[in-house]
Amino acid sequence: MTREALHQVVYDTLRVNKIDDGYVRLVVTRGAGTLGLDPNRTSDPQVIIIADRISLYPSELYEKGLEIVTVSVVRNHPASVSPRIKSLNYLNNILAKIEGLQAGCVEALMLNTQGEVAECTGDNVFLARDGVLFTPPAEAGILEGVTREAVIELAAAAGLKVRQSALTKHDVYIADEMFLTGTAAEVIPVVKVDGRVIGGGRPGPITRDLMERFHKLARS
């Protein structure tokens, strides 16, 4: 399927479902085949288009901010399954999500095998300290999300210094601000991690500015 043809069928799917502002997920499968792991024993690869209206978090959390917890489930080692691949292999994230929910949190922070901050179960992580924006690099074992990349560009355009560097839980605890990014979540503030208040305990100015900038970008 060409890029142009893919664009067209996505638009057709949105039109049929009468979705003007929603969520689109493309799933590429290897096709039908017999049981087993050999991809050569399959045929007729398929592209599945999922379109729906989705809101990951209640609107009040965008005003008040999230409370999250660090979980014991470690992000997949990047040498096993590359985290840069967007796949349906979500078992690791689901286990972390369950642990977070059991702690009373709708999102959870995952570390990598080095004990560094990686990402949350479905979102990328950003910290702000002394006017500088920090986010874990690809080497930390993160999925380089589309929203993450957009926010990095928006921050740079706003004159903010953005550093992609290894982060620890200590960096999280002493941050002035923290927020998460994701396709469904967009930009959402975090005000408490592991029972520790982040900054002033409410969404900070950098977070609010980037929330507004991304909202305009996504709907322009």
Side-chain angles (χ1 to χ4, degrees), residues 9-10 26 34 39 64 111 121 124 127 130 139 149 165 188:
V9 293
V10 168
L26 301 177
T34 59
K64 297 180 179 179
L111 308 180
T121 65
N124 289 117
L127 306 176
D130 297 330
E139 301 80 60
E149 295 300 316
S165 58
I188 185 165

Side-chain angles (χ1 to χ4, degrees), residues 93-166:
N93 304 71
I94 291 170
L95 292 174
K97 182 77 168 184
I98 291 172
E99 186 176 338
L101 290 172
Q102 290 175 339
C105 298
V106 296
E107 184 55 291
L109 182 64
M110 302 177 71
L111 308 180
N112 61 20
T113 56
Q114 304 300 313
E116 301 165 341
V117 173
E119 59 187 11
C120 287
T121 65
D123 303 309
N124 289 117
V125 175
F126 283 84
L127 306 176
R129 182 167 173 78
D130 297 330
V132 179
L133 203 58
F134 298 87
T135 189
E139 301 80 60
I142 68 167
L143 175 67
E144 296 175 272
V146 173
T147 305
R148 172 182 178 272
E149 295 300 316
V151 168
I152 289 174
E153 293 180 6
L154 289 171
L160 287 172
K161 293 182 179 179
V162 183
R163 296 180 182 172
Q164 300 185 45
S165 58

Side-chain angles (χ1 to χ4, degrees), residues 46-65:
Q46 300 290 316
V47 177
I48 302 170
I49 303 171
I50 302 171
D52 200 359
R53 294 175 178 84
I54 186 171
S55 177
L56 186 58
Y57 301 112
S59 58
E60 60 266 21
L61 291 181
Y62 288 87
E63 288 297 322
K64 297 180 179 179

